[in-house]
Amino acid sequence: MANNLLKGKRGIIFGALNEQSIAWKVAERAHEEGATFVLTNAPIAMRMGEINDLAKKTGSEVIPADATSVEDLENLVSKSMEILGGKIDFILHSIGMSVNVRKGRHYTDENYDWTMKGIDVSALSFHKVLQTAKKLDAMNEWGSILALTYIAAQRVFPDYNDMADNKAYLESIARSFGYYFGVDKKVRVNTISQSPTMTTAGSGVKGFNEFINFSEQMSPLGNASALACADYCITMFSDLTKYVTMQNLFHDGGFSTTGVTQAVIDKFGE
Ligand SMILES: NC(=O)c1ccc[n+]([C@@H]2O[C@H](COP(=O)([O-])OP(=O)(O)OC[C@H]3O[C@@H](n4cnc5c(N)ncnc54)[C@H](O)[C@@H]3O)[C@@H](O)[C@H]2O)c1
């Protein structure tokens, strides 16, 4: 169902690794809604080559960029403006990685070099994207910039490990930078806090299958899918949400405000 919600808009989409990726679904939906955009991912993630299929399907160009490298980001943003023929209307930051999670290191026994790497990739990279876009004056007025996050920034989910801290930092950057981008350029900056979703990043978390089932039963509407998340991103990039900024927006089927559901209570019956 396409409504031309992004007709004429230009964007940059970070983080489409494979068909499961939330960013992949956002790219497909943005294309359907009339946007043109550049796809980007870390050079190492390109090795799989799957992003080229998405590029073909959506008529997009791919520019590799390590989101922790300001040099790569400057190249990406300036080339994107050239390719797309003007300033940018929307950016999706759909990037996350923790070395401690990957290597099964416990939260109370962190390897701090790995912690710093995770902070850089998962949170500080968002500041770098925002700062680069602002310095290069790359955003059109009333543009919209989004990053994806998870409720472990507010509540403890033990296996989420140091990604919880990374997400808290990410959400804070959206608020703080959103102020300056709003005042100076009328650009909005938000985070979307998504339900657990079966993707490469998601399934790296220990006990993810059990957790996804728990979350499903704890959400009155059930877990939100990657495609549903993409739909929400489209509305946030469209002109229908112009005054929403500096928010952490829950897209989670009601999980974040549910204390308990009957389905979960029933599991504890005599
Ligand atoms: N899957 C979930 O359960 C879930 C829930 C809430 C939020 N999120 C968030 O959604 C976002 C997208 O994750 P996903 O679930 O689609 O998984 P994914 O694994 O498909 O996407 C993560 C992406 O980050 C990219 N990336 C890693 N290091 C990078 C770097 N240095 N530079 C540029 N890109 C880099 C990867 O190549 C990959 O494309 C992440 O921020 C994730 O934390 C995911």
Side-chain angles (χ1 to χ4, degrees), residues 78-148:
S78 46
K79 283 224 177 100
S80 296
M81 285 193 284
E82 274 170 44
I83 290 168
L84 300 170
K87 290 192 188 185
I88 308 299
D89 300 292
F90 67 90
I91 299 178
L92 176 71
H93 176 288
S94 185
I95 298 171
M97 194 280 299
S98 154
V99 189
N100 286 303
V101 168
R102 269 201 190 168
K103 302 205 175 187
R105 194 81 177 225
H106 196 265
Y107 184 74
T108 58
D109 181 34
E110 286 191 12
N111 173 318
Y112 292 120
D113 290 336
W114 297 349
T115 306
M116 294 311 289
K117 179 72 186 162
I119 290 175
D120 200 12
V121 171
S122 309
L124 198 56
S125 65
F126 191 44
H127 194 285
K128 292 176 179 175
V129 168
L130 291 160
Q131 185 163 300
T132 304
K134 192 159 187 300
K135 279 192 179 167
L136 294 180
D137 192 19
M139 294 300 294
N140 271 323
E141 278 202 352
W142 301 108
S144 174
I145 303 179
L146 282 178
L148 295 178

Side-chain angles (χ1 to χ4, degrees), residues 125-186:
S125 65
F126 191 44
H127 194 285
K128 292 176 179 175
V129 168
L130 291 160
Q131 185 163 300
T132 304
K134 192 159 187 300
K135 279 192 179 167
L136 294 180
D137 192 19
M139 294 300 294
N140 271 323
E141 278 202 352
W142 301 108
S144 174
I145 303 179
L146 282 178
L148 295 178
T149 186
Y150 184 59
I151 194 176
Q154 286 80 32
R155 299 196 198 158
V156 175
F157 295 90
D159 289 330
Y160 208 64
N161 209 320
D162 60 338
M163 273 306 287
D165 305 332
N166 298 340
K167 291 304 192 191
Y169 186 19
L170 177 80
E171 292 173 19
S172 180
I173 289 170
R175 276 188 296 277
S176 303
F177 217 111
Y179 170 80
Y180 295 104
F181 238 142
V183 167
D184 295 348
K185 270 280 162 193
K186 295 202 171 358

Side-chain angles (χ1 to χ4, degrees), residues 14-18 20-24 40-46 65-69 93-97 102 117 120-122 125 147-151 160 163 167 170 192-203 205 208 212 226:
F14 288 80
L17 181 67
N18 53 35
Q20 279 74 51
S21 300
I22 298 168
W24 190 286
T40 181
N41 210 324
I44 196 160
M46 306 261 168
D66 176 346
T68 65
S69 157
H93 176 288
S94 185
I95 298 171
M97 194 280 299
R102 269 201 190 168
K117 179 72 186 162
D120 200 12
V121 171
S122 309
S125 65
L148 295 178
T149 186
Y150 184 59
I151 194 176
Y160 208 64
M163 273 306 287
K167 291 304 192 191
L170 177 80
I192 291 182
S193 187
Q194 163 68 4
S195 295
T197 316
M198 202 42 93
T199 63
T200 304
S203 50
V205 176
F208 195 68
I212 228 170

